[in-house]
Amino acid sequence: MESLLINQTTQTPRIAFDAESGNGEIIGVSFPEHANDLYACVHEWIDQYFAEDASKTLHVAFNLNYFNTATNKEIRLLMKFLDKHHSEEKAVRITWFHEEGDEDMEDIGKGYSVSLNVPVSVEAV
Amino acid sequence: MIAQEIMQHYSVAKTAQILMMFKGGLSQNIVVDLGSLLQNRLGFDVKVRRMFGIFVELAQNVKNYSAETEIASDGSSVGIGILILADSGTHYSVNSGNLVLNSAAELLKAQCDHLMTLDKTALKAYHEERIESEPPPGSKGAGLGLIEITIKTGGNVHFDFASFDENFTFFSITATVEK
């Protein structure tokens, strides 16, 4: 299957998921007009990735320094989606990067590491 | 005479320590451009980002909910309003203003009054409840903007209403964050 690559813009993050390594990253800022359209393709890609081979591993790295409320909701949905795959015995893990000293972003990551079963590692960069 | 008028605008902006003011239709492209302008002027450290988050939320609020609209260059209908960013030295203040229908103002006022009664814990619980539910009818975003602004400012947000004419009410939001 093909890797997923959406280049960064001034209002959207770089979204890159590698079909070979199973490493995905969402990096930058996110305040698009239609956040749901942007993140829907990530759900599709992940479903397809595990449909091909359920024994593959997936590591998703979030490294966002700003997102709007509509994106916040999309990230929540994506996290739950990853949690669902994890509950179906898929090898999924998440790293949530935040800038050193950015407590807002750190708190969001820590919230996910507590509320989800899928492993979420919160790391300062 | 013209210089007098422009000097008045200048003096008002100077006295109010205005960093940026925009009045017009707030298409997504304009919001992005104003955001770039802010970043060029102020950088993008963690405190600017907190202000920037409020700025984008207020701008998208005007875009989605102003009762006064225009057709943007991309053909979409966008809300018209005013955005003012001021720097008091210790704080940023982000202000928005737009028209709402008189008939819609009462419900909006009730929602704003409700937010003002909630403490931090209750705000987070309300946010949690709303993010988990479908957006309310008529909402074009996640329906969370006003709640997040109230949380992000630690309650330093002021909603106000002024009578505009027989059809419209002017709705303003003033949000303040530490620099």
Side-chain angles (χ1 to χ4, degrees), chain B residues 1 7 15 43 52 64 86-87 115 134 144 152 163:
Chain B
M1 279 304 281
M7 188 171 71
T15 306
F52 183 80
N64 289 333
D87 176 355
L115 286 179
E134 286 299 306
L144 295 161
K152 277 184 180 159
S163 179

Side-chain angles (χ1 to χ4, degrees), chain B:
Chain B
M1 279 304 281
I2 294 174
Q4 282 286 345
E5 273 182 37
I6 295 178
M7 188 171 71
Q8 276 181 11
H9 287 304
Y10 176 85
S11 298
V12 167
K14 189 175 165 73
T15 306
Q17 296 174 295
I18 290 171
L19 279 179
M20 197 192 72
M21 180 159 73
F22 177 88
K23 186 258 167 205
L26 282 156
S27 69
Q28 173 71 7
N29 286 339
I30 296 286
V31 175
V32 170
D33 285 350
L34 292 175
S36 298
L37 194 152
L38 282 189
Q39 289 180 41
N40 286 335
R41 182 141 189 203
L42 303 171
F44 208 46
D45 69 19
V46 65
K47 293 203 164 153
V48 174
R49 291 205 294 271
R50 184 173 275 196
M51 177 276 285
F52 183 80
I54 292 163
F55 175 83
V56 170
E57 245 26 86
L58 291 185
Q60 291 182 331
N61 229 28
V62 171
K63 168 185 164 286
N64 289 333
Y65 303 118
S66 175
E68 182 189 13
T69 59
E70 66 177 25
I71 302 300
S73 58
D74 66 0
S76 64
S77 172
V78 299
I80 293 171
I82 188 165
L83 283 175
I84 304 169
L85 173 66
D87 176 355
S88 72
T90 57
H91 291 77
Y92 290 117
S93 110
V94 196
N95 308 269
S96 70
N98 61 271
L99 298 183
V100 294
L101 282 170
N102 286 339
S103 55
E106 206 161 310
L107 179 62
L108 186 58
K109 189 167 187 310
Q111 287 172 335
C112 293
D113 287 346
H114 176 60
L115 286 179
M116 290 291 90
T117 65
L118 303 176
D119 65 12
K120 196 177 172 187
T121 313
L123 276 169
K124 290 208 164 165
Y126 186 43
H127 183 267
E128 192 65 23
E129 178 193 320
R130 290 289 293 272
I131 202 169
E132 290 294 332
S133 55
E134 286 299 306
S139 170
K140 292 172 187 167
L144 295 161
L146 296 185
I147 308 172
E148 285 211 1
I149 291 164
T150 310
I151 292 173
K152 277 184 180 159
T153 57
N156 284 320
V157 60
H158 184 66
F159 305 106
D160 203 12
F161 296 82
S163 179
F164 189 79
D165 63 19
E166 68 269 28
N167 295 316
F168 297 107
T169 299
F170 193 79
F171 171 50
S172 77
I173 305 176
T174 298
T176 309
V177 283
E178 266 181 50
K179 276 178 75 178

Side-chain angles (χ1 to χ4, degrees), chain A residues 10-11 29 31-33 65-70 72-73 76 80 99 101-105 107, chain B residues 28 32 44 46 49-50 52-53 56-57 60 63 127-128 130-133 135 142 144-145 148:
Chain A
T10 49
Q11 54 184 311
V29 298
F31 57 108
E33 192 164 16
N65 60 14
Y66 164 68
F67 49 79
N68 68 347
T69 57
N72 190 3
K73 180 152 190 167
R76 166 83 60 121
K80 288 190 161 183
E99 194 179 290
D102 188 341
E103 290 174 10
D104 294 352
M105 281 296 170
D107 285 349
Chain B
Q28 173 71 7
V32 170
F44 208 46
V46 65
R49 291 205 294 271
R50 184 173 275 196
F52 183 80
V56 170
E57 245 26 86
Q60 291 182 331
K63 168 185 164 286
H127 183 267
E128 192 65 23
R130 290 289 293 272
I131 202 169
E132 290 294 332
S133 55
L144 295 161
E148 285 211 1

Side-chain angles (χ1 to χ4, degrees), chain A residues 34-101:
Chain A
H34 304 291
N36 49 345
D37 293 349
L38 179 66
Y39 291 93
C41 65
V42 179
H43 290 241
E44 280 171 30
W45 189 90
I46 291 169
D47 268 339
Q48 209 185 337
Y49 177 76
F50 283 125
E52 270 191 8
D53 180 356
S55 71
K56 286 195 284 197
T57 63
L58 180 68
H59 173 228
V60 183
F62 291 86
N63 191 348
L64 293 160
N65 60 14
Y66 164 68
F67 49 79
N68 68 347
T69 57
T71 297
N72 190 3
K73 180 152 190 167
E74 293 308 314
I75 290 173
R76 166 83 60 121
L77 292 171
L78 183 54
M79 287 289 186
K80 288 190 161 183
F81 179 75
L82 291 167
D83 205 38
K84 179 186 75 93
H85 276 290
H86 173 263
S87 71
E88 293 165 355
E89 311 289 316
K90 315 276 178 38
V92 182
R93 65 189 180 89
I94 297 167
T95 306
W96 181 271
F97 291 104
H98 65 87
E99 194 179 290
E100 183 77 55

